[in-house]
Amino acid sequence: MTSTTSHVSAELIGRPDFEEFCASVFAALPRRDQQRKAAAYVAGLLRASGRKSLRNIAAAAGADVNEQSLHHFVSESTWPWRTVRRALAQHVVPTSRPQAFVVRHRDTPARPARRGGGDLPQPRRTYGLWAATDGTALPLSWWLHEDPRTGRTPGRVPEAVVVEAYRDAVGAGRGGVPLVADARGISVSSMLRGLEAAVPGAPVALRIGAGQAVQVTDARCAPAAGAWMPAQQVAAWTRDLRRASGTAVSVEPGRLAVARIGVQVPERTGGVGARGLPPLLAELVCLGDPRRPWPQQLWLVAGGPADADLAQHLAGWLDRAPASAEPTSGSLGLDDYRGRSDDGFHRHAALVGVAQAFLTHQSAARAIRLRETARAAADRSAVCSSRLPTARPPRSALARRLHPRPDTAHA
């Protein structure tokens, strides 16, 4: 998705709210000129129309930068993009109060074709981490995993980066926020072990593939216990354990069923309790429409209470959070980076995240100003009125009057 219009029409460089926001996020950059260019790049992303090429970004930035200096800043400079990612989380998480941190992959046309390889860009698989709230979702991290056509994989495996990104997000001040991730195609045991070491007790909900090996530990399915088998095969034993979901919101009432069963996850190298560690225990949660082949989704839930309805609620974030943020990320140019440098893509993606966070910050500040203006107008109206203002009961009190509880209706 490419932007056709700018998000901000006015000059941003020198504007107090923008300068203050950038100063808080980019303070960790080691040099002042890097802080200045980072702010200019974000201003260009917000103000440029059309594709966010370096030329368009430089022209729209409204600062003393040019295309060549921005190219060097993003593609060849050595400033630490992980530090910016961590600073963004520290700025966003305490105020947004996320209900979940969501991780899933997407394919983006980010790598230009090599010489002689044609004009079409080669897609790359990236992973994102979003801070999900009821109102919106903000991307806090993007990282490159592989090129689906060539199979080229950077040095770090995705589960290790998921653990690092989640640790940074939780370290920003919101401990106990669950991680919801699409773990199909990556090592579930490595991710669980990494989370266990980095964020002990972290609540985790991982969507897994039908072939993920598990071992039943639940006495309710004694015939299936004792052997490693695919999760889909284990799920067949949960048909008699199904019940209507208590949190279904997108399907007809009673048409979504949920079942859970205790399982153990094998270590990546095989065996139980590798390296003397305790076994990896989790709940296998099966979700789906009972009128269709059972189940349609398989999840592993660990680190939190064994609550199938909670697991179903968390599962809804996996699609909802990225979908709500995708249009803005795309229009800010997430897919428009055309350099060959992997670090260049990560720097560009980090700055796109900063730009998106500023838009959210601006919207929140505007809402606060509107509420303050409305409150001030109400106060002036009360002062000018010839009648004394009467206290208005809060909405919760009104609701109690309209719908009294049975034990207080006749009090």
Side-chain angles (χ1 to χ4, degrees):
M1 179 178 180
T2 301
S3 174
T4 55
T5 59
S6 63
H7 286 269
V8 179
S9 58
E11 293 284 344
L12 288 172
I13 300 299
R15 210 172 85 178
D17 60 337
F18 180 76
E19 295 286 351
E20 181 181 355
F21 181 86
C22 289
S24 65
V25 176
F26 298 133
L29 290 178
R31 302 202 321 250
R32 190 175 298 275
D33 65 310
Q34 292 174 340
Q35 298 173 14
R36 180 176 59 83
K37 288 180 180 178
Y41 198 95
V42 171
L45 289 172
L46 290 165
R47 298 191 67 236
S49 299
R51 190 172 74 84
K52 301 302 189 288
S53 65
L54 289 173
R55 178 177 299 177
N56 286 343
I57 292 173
D64 186 19
V65 294
N66 54 47
E67 179 182 354
Q68 183 176 358
S69 67
L70 288 185
H71 171 78
H72 180 271
F73 173 70
V74 171
S75 300
E76 300 176 15
S77 183
T78 58
W79 58 273
W81 54 267
R82 288 187 180 90
T83 300
V84 171
R85 184 181 73 183
R86 195 173 297 116
L88 177 62
Q90 292 171 350
H91 185 89
V92 167
V93 171
T95 56
S96 63
R97 302 179 63 82
Q99 295 186 9
F101 294 118
V102 180
V103 173
R104 70 173 304 162
H105 72 267
R106 69 191 294 272
D107 293 332
T108 176
R111 186 187 300 279
R114 299 184 183 277
R115 292 181 181 179
D119 296 327
L120 292 177
Q122 300 176 10
R124 291 196 280 189
R125 173 152 294 181
T126 57
Y127 281 82
L129 182 143
W130 291 264
T133 69
D134 278 335
T136 185
L138 277 174
L140 299 181
S141 304
W142 290 103
W143 60 93
L144 181 64
H145 175 47
E146 68 177 7
D147 184 331
R149 292 185 182 178
T150 64
R152 178 183 179 277
T153 304
R156 305 189 68 198
V157 293
E159 51 266 28
V161 187
V162 171
V163 171
E164 179 187 282
Y166 178 66
R167 183 186 61 208
D168 290 346
V170 171
R174 286 290 292 168
V177 178
L179 172 67
V180 181
D182 188 344
R184 291 173 292 182
I186 62 179
S187 172
V188 171
S189 61
S190 295
M191 185 182 297
L192 290 176
R193 285 296 185 202
L195 290 167
E196 188 178 71
V199 190
V204 183
L206 305 179
R207 184 169 183 186
I208 60 172
Q212 170 67 45
V214 295
Q215 184 181 76
V216 175
T217 60
D218 197 316
R220 294 176 298 171
C221 289
W228 299 105
M229 60 182 66
Q232 185 71 34
Q233 185 176 344
V234 174
W237 292 91
T238 68
R239 291 180 181 275
D240 294 336
L241 304 177
R242 292 181 299 186
R243 62 176 179 79
S245 170
T247 58
V249 294
S250 59
V251 296
E252 296 179 48
R255 295 300 188 188
L256 186 66
V258 59
R260 64 179 177 87
I261 184 172
V263 298
Q264 179 178 333
V265 181
E267 302 288 343
R268 188 169 190 173
T269 56
V272 178
R275 301 182 302 279
L277 296 173
L280 288 170
L281 301 179
E283 292 278 329
L284 176 65
V285 178
C286 310
L287 300 173
D289 186 336
R291 299 169 301 177
R292 298 171 54 196
W294 175 260
Q296 288 92 59
Q297 291 188 18
L298 294 167
W299 289 78
L300 283 177
V301 180
D307 188 331
D309 287 335
L310 175 61
Q312 190 270 328
H313 173 72
L314 294 177
W317 285 113
L318 190 61
D319 294 320
R320 196 160 66 245
S324 67
E326 181 78 15
T328 305
S329 298
S331 64
L332 285 169
L334 179 63
D335 296 340
D336 290 346
Y337 178 75
R338 292 296 183 264
R340 289 190 174 91
S341 164
D342 291 350
D343 281 338
F345 168 78
H346 288 118
R347 294 188 189 102
H348 170 79
L351 296 173
V352 168
V354 174
Q356 192 161 349
F358 175 74
L359 288 179
T360 302
H361 169 78
Q362 194 178 41
S363 298
R366 186 181 301 114
I368 291 173
R369 288 195 298 270
L370 288 174
R371 286 197 298 268
E372 290 176 346
T373 300
R375 189 180 300 116
D379 291 343
R380 287 194 299 271
S381 176
V383 170
C384 296
S385 174
S386 59
R387 298 171 59 186
L388 292 175
T390 57
R392 182 179 180 181
R395 186 177 182 87
S396 58
L398 290 174
R400 284 195 296 269
R401 290 184 192 175
L402 292 173
H403 306 285
R405 294 179 181 178
D407 57 346
T408 61
H410 303 289

